[in-house]
Amino acid sequence: LELRLSPERLTGEITAFLTAPDRVACIVGRGGLGKTRLLRAVATAASGWTVRFLTPGADLSPEHFEMLPAQGDLLVIVDDAHDRSGLPVLLRSIAQRNPKAKVLISLRPYGMGPLASALRTIGLHPTDLPRWDLTDLTDEDAEALAGEALGEAATETLVRRLAHLTADCPLITVVGGVLISRDQLDPACLDHEDSVREEILRAFADVLVADPAQAESGLRRGVLDAVAIPQPFRSDDEQFQ
């Protein structure tokens, strides 16, 4: 299901960074606003460019940077940079490997301090960067997203209620709307303003563990509960696996 979490205009603006002289750009916003989806849209739109996503949580060595093309148009995308250490080495190594490389970074607002320090190591300041800040959806955008997620189940009242309760987290809007459209969530949960998010996420977890083709549902539920305790975590971390 394709849902418009990010305006096409914003994707176009960020893609234009590829033809600008700037070497680094960033997307800033708190969790759940669609930063990762936007990065993927930019990668898809970067026609003619070699695009590389940095694996979240990966420990980098000089050999990793040798795998990047040393010439030509290269875009390196760093998602969730607020969770990554070693940004100065990362930015310097990319620039040394390919002076024409562009780096597009997404991070939460509290990550701007460490990023500023990293930028200074390559002679840049945060004010020198193209920057796009993702904010909460407008009422109109939230209702459009809720209506699309609800699909044929959408009514004017239901759309407005879902949008009102989840406007600050598009992820919850989408999950709740899709579950309601598939009769996997009772729309009456939207009457419980204090617990609606918990009910939506609980229903989502129930759907995840109910697949009979996968492991026994009780075991899957136990795994979900267990990994929820130490979060945030990186699923590709060897110790976690």
Side-chain angles (χ1 to χ4, degrees):
L1 181 63
E2 288 297 320
L3 296 164
R4 293 184 297 272
L5 287 177
S6 300
E8 292 183 2
R9 175 189 60 80
L10 195 54
T11 302
E13 287 183 9
I14 298 173
T15 305
F17 152 69
L18 299 178
T19 58
D22 307 284
R23 292 181 288 162
V24 184
C26 62
I27 301 171
V28 184
R30 58 176 182 74
L33 292 180
K35 296 187 297 298
T36 299
R37 180 182 175 84
L38 186 54
L39 291 174
R40 291 174 179 167
V42 171
T44 300
S47 178
W49 284 69
T50 299
V51 181
R52 294 290 183 266
F53 277 84
L54 181 61
T55 302
D59 293 326
L60 299 177
S61 65
E63 290 75 18
H64 290 111
F65 295 101
E66 292 297 322
M67 298 172 65
L68 296 174
Q71 298 178 337
D73 294 329
L74 170 65
L75 173 63
V76 178
I77 295 178
V78 184
D79 196 7
D80 288 342
H82 52 272
D83 285 339
R84 172 168 291 283
S85 60
L87 281 176
V89 174
L90 172 66
L91 294 177
R92 286 199 309 270
S93 298
I94 293 173
Q96 290 168 0
R97 176 61 178 173
N98 185 333
K100 293 182 62 177
K102 304 271 190 174
V103 182
L104 179 58
I105 297 171
S106 81
L107 70 167
R108 296 184 182 182
Y110 63 79
M112 285 304 298
L115 177 59
S117 298
L119 290 170
R120 282 193 285 270
T121 67
I122 59 171
L124 294 176
H125 187 273
T127 56
D128 299 329
L129 269 62
R131 169 175 169 171
W132 296 270
D133 290 274
L134 301 189
T135 58
D136 291 348
L137 298 177
T138 65
D139 291 344
E140 181 180 356
D141 287 340
E143 290 182 9
L145 182 62
E148 190 172 353
L150 287 162
E152 295 182 358
T155 66
E156 183 176 354
T157 300
L158 195 56
V159 165
R160 288 184 176 178
R161 185 64 177 165
L162 178 61
H164 169 71
L165 292 174
T166 64
D168 62 339
C169 187
L171 175 63
I172 300 293
T173 306
V174 171
V175 171
V178 171
L179 290 177
I180 290 173
S181 72
R182 296 177 179 174
D183 294 324
Q184 293 171 321
L185 178 67
D186 187 350
C189 77
L190 300 182
D191 294 332
H192 311 144
E193 185 166 347
D194 293 340
S195 61
V196 62
R197 293 172 186 250
E198 181 180 349
E199 292 189 41
I200 289 174
L201 293 178
R202 183 186 300 116
F204 185 44
D206 290 342
V207 171
L208 290 177
V209 302
D211 186 353
Q214 302 295 328
E216 190 270 325
S217 60
L219 175 61
R220 301 181 76 196
R221 167 69 73 177
V223 171
L224 283 179
D225 290 342
V227 299
I229 295 172
Q231 67 175 317
F233 60 86
R234 292 295 183 185
S235 60
D236 57 350
D237 183 271
E238 292 183 0
Q239 291 185 338
F240 169 76
Q241 293 173 349

